[in-house]
Amino acid sequence: MRMTIFGSGYVGLVTGACMAEMGNHVVCYDIDEEKIARLNEGDIPIYEPGLESYIARNTEAGRLEFTTDVKKAVDHGLFQFIAVGTPPDEDGSADLKHVLAVARSIGENMEEYRVVVDKSTVPVGTADKVEAEIAASLEKRGKSVEFDVVSNPEFLKEGAAIGDFMKPDRIIVGTNNPRTTELLRTLYEPFNRNHDRLISMDVRSAELTKYAANAMLATKISFMNELANLAERFGADIENVRVGIGSDPRIGYHFIYPGCGYGGSCFPKDVQALARSASDVGFPAVLLNAVEDVNKRQKQVLFDKIHRHYHGDLSGKTVALWGLAFKPNTDDMREASSRDLMEALWEAGATVRAYDAEARDEARRIYGERGDLVLCDSQDEALEGADCLAIVTEWREFRSPDFESLKAALADAVIFDGRNLYDPTQVQHYGFTYYGIGRGDFIQRSDDA
Ligand SMILES: NC(=O)c1ccc[n+]([C@@H]2O[C@H](COP(=O)([O-])OP(=O)(O)OC[C@H]3O[C@@H](n4cnc5c(N)ncnc54)[C@H](O)[C@@H]3O)[C@@H](O)[C@H]2O)c1
């Protein structure tokens, strides 16, 4: 089938590559000319495991193309996917300017029936706005062309996006028109061979389903972080509590890891946007606001531990930082906890020596060259001349370091572990002072020392 994807970011590229992999003819369109030029040269602008080979194979086969020609894009696909960003506006609501710009482009260029599929995460009611925008553009042209608007929110996880797209847990199709459900069912058929994963519903419920999923996951994390802070004060170990509650099948082990806060391009903005939409309809979303507040506070926890350890004086200190991306297996630093930590450390007069296998270029793009940030090529290089070590991303390579050489490299044998990667007893055995998240007695012991 022929499809066009507007937006060649994490979602657009993965959708395009996976749809092409199934034999569809896909055109990816973006307004970012540099991005499209790089893609046309085979240079993939983001890091996502497996994506490069999918793109190479399918461009080679002529099933995947990249363009900045909007007319070509609209002419190409029966399906017009919208996968552009929906960043937070100043008041926390989702900014729909990119989504509506795409709708306008479609309306300005459409000559025959099109199914407009919204994959971007958008507030309830956006499909109506997209429909109105296309209709207005058509009217301006004096054209009458049929089209349908469908909500098909995306649930892929960065770092595992190809697997998630190829074997989705569910495919949500929100439409008020059965004809479009059938068209989407045909398009998604190859992803449904094992069993039918397509769930069809009305448009508004589909739009809300995406926010509900992200808000639920963010709630689980903030709940555990709240409990971790309590565990610290009670002298309990949250990791024991985690294992204890996860064994209850009603709770389960997924997504209950305590840490130094959630980041990324989705949870923070989606929780905020849903809370904002709630207040717009006169309903104060008490729980959602609390989830967000807990997370903001949690992103400061690691800095507070470092600050307290050094008795409030960090000027001239050098902190080795392992991890910059908001989670492993991605280069995405949007809303990453590393940013809160680094910015607080700089404010306090410290220097950061950071290492991340994939996010170094992104950090350089965000912060530029500055004297208090050294971007290193290896874990060991980050330790050179550092006073202590902080960990904010649970990349696999950080899990089993050589603690002897780690201790020898640091001026002070102290680890601030924002992801609870290590066994406190083991690291203390090597002579470290260890700060995890929610592992209270160890903090008290080191404070006493
Ligand atoms: N990243 C994720 O893990 C993820 C997962 C599920 C859903 N989502 C949602 O999907 C949407 C896209 O997210 P992303 O992470 O891929 O964003 P992204 O920022 O990586 O990519 C967005 C792309 O859209 C392009 N763009 C902006 N305006 C455009 C226009 N008028 N026409 C064509 N292209 C345009 C930008 O240049 C950019 O390349 C968001 O709504 C996000 O919430 C993201």
Side-chain angles (χ1 to χ4, degrees):
M1 296 178 101
R2 294 162 74 87
M3 54 186 297
T4 297
I5 298 173
F6 289 84
S8 303
Y10 289 87
V11 170
L13 284 179
V14 170
T15 304
C18 292
M19 284 290 184
E21 181 76 8
M22 292 302 192
N24 297 295
H25 187 180
V26 182
V27 166
C28 290
Y29 167 87
D30 204 290
I31 47 168
D32 183 336
E33 290 184 0
E34 193 195 320
K35 192 178 264 190
I36 294 297
R38 283 179 67 180
L39 284 160
N40 276 324
E41 280 162 18
D43 179 13
I44 314 303
I46 56 166
Y47 172 72
E48 181 59 46
L51 182 62
E52 200 168 347
S53 62
Y54 267 51
I55 290 183
R57 187 164 53 246
N58 287 289
T59 42
E60 175 76 28
R63 287 191 297 265
L64 184 58
E65 292 175 58
F66 302 99
T67 188
T68 52
D69 179 345
V70 71
K71 179 89 184 104
K72 175 178 170 180
V74 179
D75 281 348
H76 175 77
L78 166 65
F79 298 97
Q80 304 272 308
F81 275 72
I82 304 179
V84 296
T86 45
D89 217 335
E90 272 164 21
D91 61 1
S93 62
D95 185 347
L96 292 179
K97 68 171 181 276
H98 301 307
V99 170
L100 296 178
V102 173
R104 253 191 318 280
S105 300
I106 296 171
E108 283 163 1
N109 291 285
M110 192 169 78
E111 299 293 346
E112 55 186 329
Y113 175 65
R114 291 288 175 258
V115 183
V116 179
V117 186
D118 191 1
K119 239 188 194 322
S120 296
T121 303
V122 290
V124 176
T126 300
D128 294 343
K129 291 184 180 165
V130 167
E131 194 173 326
E133 198 73 39
I134 297 174
S137 299
L138 284 170
E139 202 181 313
K140 258 193 207 159
R141 293 167 60 208
K143 286 254 177 191
S144 166
V145 185
E146 249 193 295
F147 66 94
D148 286 303
V149 179
V150 183
S151 167
N152 171 222
E154 182 50 56
F155 295 90
L156 61 78
K157 301 182 288 294
E158 285 177 23
I162 296 281
D164 286 347
F165 199 97
M166 295 301 276
K167 282 197 175 158
D169 296 327
R170 73 300 216 187
I171 300 160
I172 303 283
V173 173
T175 161
N176 301 332
N177 179 346
R179 167 178 73 173
T180 10
T181 312
E182 286 321 302
L183 283 171
L184 267 286
R185 192 179 288 287
T186 309
L187 180 68
Y188 276 112
E189 194 59 45
F191 303 90
N192 262 330
R193 283 180 64 83
N194 181 267
H195 64 274
D196 189 7
R197 298 170 168 102
L198 193 138
I199 303 169
S200 76
M201 58 180 77
D202 62 282
V203 178
R204 286 180 172 244
S205 302
E207 289 170 334
L208 185 55
T209 299
K210 173 63 191 176
Y211 279 106
N214 277 358
M216 170 62 99
L217 295 170
T219 302
K220 288 181 91 172
I221 298 174
S222 277
F223 173 83
M224 280 312 277
N225 285 336
E226 182 105 305
L227 266 287
N229 293 327
L230 279 178
E232 267 174 27
R233 284 154 183 85
F234 292 156
D237 185 341
I238 192 67
E239 289 300 330
N240 291 333
V241 177
R242 179 181 67 77
V243 174
I245 63 169
S247 59
D248 182 335
R250 291 171 303 175
I251 297 175
Y253 287 109
H254 291 297
F255 253 77
I256 56 168
Y257 289 97
C260 51
Y262 59 73
S265 69
C266 293
F267 291 177
K269 86 169 167 60
D270 292 350
V271 171
Q272 269 180 56
L274 185 54
R276 183 69 223 181
S277 298
S279 89
D280 287 348
V281 292
F283 184 80
V286 178
L287 180 59
L288 296 175
N289 286 321
V291 167
E292 167 72 4
D293 289 347
V294 166
N295 193 54
K296 277 196 183 129
R297 187 175 63 185
Q298 198 65 16
K299 285 176 157 182
Q300 287 303 319
V301 160
L302 217 50
F303 173 76
D304 291 345
K305 288 173 194 279
I306 300 173
H307 194 245
R308 199 171 58 215
H309 177 85
Y310 286 106
H311 307 290
D313 184 9
L314 287 170
S315 65
K317 294 287 177 202
T318 298
V319 178
L321 180 65
W322 284 358
L324 289 164
F326 84 93
K327 67 173 184 180
N329 299 319
T330 181
D331 58 354
D332 197 342
M333 284 182 65
R334 287 177 283 187
E335 305 274 344
S337 302
S338 64
R339 296 174 69 164
D340 296 74
L341 177 59
M342 287 195 292
E343 286 162 24
L345 288 169
W346 292 331
E347 180 82 9
T351 294
V352 175
R353 292 179 64 82
Y355 167 70
D356 186 295
E358 297 298 337
R360 260 166 305 169
D361 290 347
E362 183 60 2
R364 196 170 287 118
R365 190 190 65 78
I366 296 168
Y367 293 113
E369 296 296 333
R370 47 186 297 164
D372 48 10
L373 173 63
V374 184
L375 293 167
C376 302
D377 291 331
S378 70
Q379 293 171 240
D380 288 345
E381 195 190 325
L383 301 172
E384 285 168 20
D387 292 289
C388 61
L389 170 65
I391 302 165
V392 293
T393 315
E394 63 274 39
W395 282 98
R396 276 200 195 132
E397 60 185 321
F398 302 153
R399 289 191 184 185
S400 286
D402 174 347
F403 285 110
E404 295 287 6
S405 55
L406 183 56
K407 190 169 171 227
L410 293 172
D412 305 325
V414 51
I415 299 175
F416 301 91
D417 180 357
R419 299 293 171 194
N420 287 354
L421 293 187
Y422 307 133
D423 173 354
T425 318
Q426 192 196 1
V427 284
Q428 284 178 330
H429 167 79
Y430 283 100
F432 284 95
T433 300
Y434 175 80
Y435 296 89
I437 302 290
R439 324 197 81 176
D441 54 334
F442 303 105
I443 285 166
Q444 279 161 21
R445 237 181 268 163
S446 51
D447 273 353
D448 294 341

